[in-house]
Amino acid sequence: MKEYIRNLIEQVKIKNPGEREFHQAVEEVFESLELVLERNPKYREHKILERMVEPERIIIFRVPWVDDKGEIHINRGYRVQMNSAIGPYKGGLRFHPSVTLSVLKFLAFEQVFKNSLTTLPMGGGKGGSDFDPKGRSDAEIMRFCQSFMTELFRHIGPDVDVPAGDIGVGGREIGYLFGQYKRLANEFTGVLTGKGLNWGGSLIRPEATGFGVVYFAQEMLKTKNMSLEGKTIAISGFGNVAWGAALKATELGAKVVTLSGPDGFIYDQDGVKGEKINYMLEMRASLRDEVKMYAEKFKVPFYAGKRPWGVKVDIALPCATQNELDENDAKELVKNGCICVAEGANMPTTLGGVKVFQEAKILYAPGKAANAGGVATSGLEMTQNSMRLPWSREEVDKKLHEIMVNIHRTCVETAAEYGTPENYVNGANIAGFLKVADAMLDQGIV
Ligand code: NDP
Ligand code: 2IT
């Protein structure tokens, strides 16, 4: 079976040359699936893995727009519709200059397994653009979003494909995208999630990914009879996910001592709490892309060009972006006594880094399990839209919490069932896979 999996990974590399991030995501998942294929030859016979790495559809399009000075810009837009076996395509849109087809394919691939874990009926997709929002005016962001949606609208729909936010796409962008969709499609439906509260959005959706990561970490700690109370935490990033994680971790009695941005990281020994957490929203809205602003405002140390993984903490929550924590960072965290890593970002740890955590036998949860609370709450937003009834904050939060506890239990039970107890990577990959794979078998060769 090892041979078959290795060959398959090789084929993916040959067929998708240069798509480094996509190769990495496939390799991580397929290594876990060896255990499943040994027990169930039917997945191999029906070429389920071969089908899963071939997106059902990819749309690539031109996004022309005009800046405030009248200059014309051309960006590239994408939507990767990966797998619709268990529901309409669902997944965020990323606006960042580092966006490539490889990045979006890896994200869409991860999304398939993540969405399956949420227990809600959502397939996997992802999209975005290499557009750089940094320094752009509100009017420029609006024109870009309108141009992007002018092409995308014909490929999505509330029962077809439901995009949401990701890096560079928050409430404001979802608003502009929704406005343009509504105008073109002439319908008011839940075609996007992360909407404003007055027009179909769900309470708790902005907080959901970060809250979910912390709920997941809480469950991991419980397996060792520990809690978040009094623990110190290193968070990377200062965006939507980092913000939600800081809020919930602080509420549960932990102390968040770092945040990071592309410019470096800050160390706040008193903890990122209260108004300091609110300030994260201001930093994000400033579109300056600098966490240094925090150091200046609150007079704490700033380490230019560095990542926060050398700091002594109990828990690490990487919440910025892919491959932001490598083998050396992982060694450093373990050496300094870190006992738990839960990924808020998608694939923030390199394959080498993951091996370090697993060999050190610390608690380590991959993003597709730990950060599933965001898309799960998007699923709850879709439900509310279908019912045309909003739920209260408490109700959504309770459901989110139940879903995270459930995903945690599923990961632990599946890992044990397949002979690798405490291996959250195997637990998440296998459990996420089985539901989608069985649906594909039921639906024939499509
Ligand atoms: P935001 O745009 O709100 O924030 C992203 C943060 O990461 C920003 O601070 C961003 O800075 C920073 N960042 C980006 N690149 C780097 C880098 N190379 N080094 C350091 N920091 C960097 O996005 P989100 O918080 O929504 O997303 C963060 C991560 O969480 C992503 O991996 C995303 O895929 C994942 N995620 C998001 C979910 C959601 O619901 N929003 C759900 C599940 C996962 P800048 O952009 O200024 O470079
Ligand atoms: O990576 C993710 O799960 C997200 N960016 C959220 C996707 C969604 O559809 O809410």
Side-chain angles (χ1 to χ4, degrees), residues 124-140:
K126 199 87 185 189
S129 173
D130 57 0
F131 171 69
D132 187 358
K134 189 173 166 178
R136 290 292 168 198
S137 72
D138 200 57
E140 288 173 327

Side-chain angles (χ1 to χ4, degrees), residues 55-63 75-82 89 93 99-102 104-105 108 124-130 147-157 160-163:
E56 289 178 14
R57 187 179 301 107
I58 298 179
I59 300 129
I60 302 184
F61 50 99
R62 180 202 297 161
V63 189
N75 283 99
R76 188 171 289 175
Y78 306 84
R79 186 72 183 166
V80 179
Q81 299 181 332
M82 201 69 173
Y89 309 106
L93 296 171
V99 163
T100 60
L101 184 57
S102 170
L104 296 179
K105 277 174 73 178
K126 199 87 185 189
S129 173
D130 57 0
S147 180
F148 185 86
M149 187 53 87
T150 300
E151 175 56 36
L152 187 67
F153 92 98
R154 67 188 91 248
H155 307 289
I156 63 175
V160 179
D161 183 351
V162 183

Side-chain angles (χ1 to χ4, degrees), residues 177-358:
L177 291 163
F178 184 81
Q180 187 72 348
Y181 179 88
K182 185 163 61 67
R183 188 150 68 139
L184 292 165
N186 192 30
E187 62 175 38
F188 192 112
T189 51
V191 67
L192 293 160
T193 59
K195 299 185 291 297
L197 286 178
N198 292 332
W199 42 280
S202 174
L203 285 159
I204 300 288
R205 177 61 189 91
E207 295 89 342
T209 311
F211 277 21
V213 174
V214 175
Y215 291 150
F216 198 94
Q218 199 177 26
E219 292 306 300
M220 293 169 87
L221 291 170
K222 269 193 207 160
T223 67
K224 305 281 177 202
N225 295 317
M226 291 189 284
S227 76
L228 282 160
E229 183 73 41
K231 298 285 186 302
T232 51
I233 303 188
I235 289 183
S236 64
F238 63 93
N240 172 259
V241 179
W243 166 76
L247 266 180
K248 186 51 80 179
T250 308
E251 187 192 313
L252 295 177
K255 185 161 88 170
V256 174
V257 291
T258 70
L259 297 174
S260 77
D263 56 332
F265 80 92
I266 61 99
Y267 179 77
D268 188 341
Q269 63 173 9
D270 295 334
V272 180
K273 57 186 176 199
E275 59 151 340
K276 293 171 169 177
I277 298 180
N278 296 337
Y279 187 65
M280 289 169 76
L281 298 175
E282 265 179 61
M283 284 167 25
R284 205 69 208 110
S286 77
L287 289 183
R288 266 177 54 188
D289 239 2
E290 288 178 351
V291 78
K292 197 169 71 190
M293 290 170 72
Y294 183 104
E296 286 161 2
K297 184 164 170 78
F298 300 112
K299 311 271 181 290
V300 300
F302 168 69
Y303 299 89
K306 294 238 165 8
R307 303 196 276 212
W309 314 127
V311 171
K312 186 172 165 44
V313 287
D314 303 308
I315 298 167
L317 305 176
C319 296
T321 193
Q322 65 271 5
N323 293 327
E324 52 157 326
L325 197 165
D326 65 18
E327 200 174 327
N328 290 332
D329 298 323
K331 284 182 185 155
E332 196 71 13
L333 280 167
V334 170
K335 190 183 84 194
N336 286 330
C338 176
I339 50 168
C340 174
V341 179
E343 296 182 341
N346 287 306
M347 208 171 74
T349 311
T350 62
L351 290 174
V354 174
K355 292 246 147 49
V356 172
F357 292 144
Q358 290 179 330

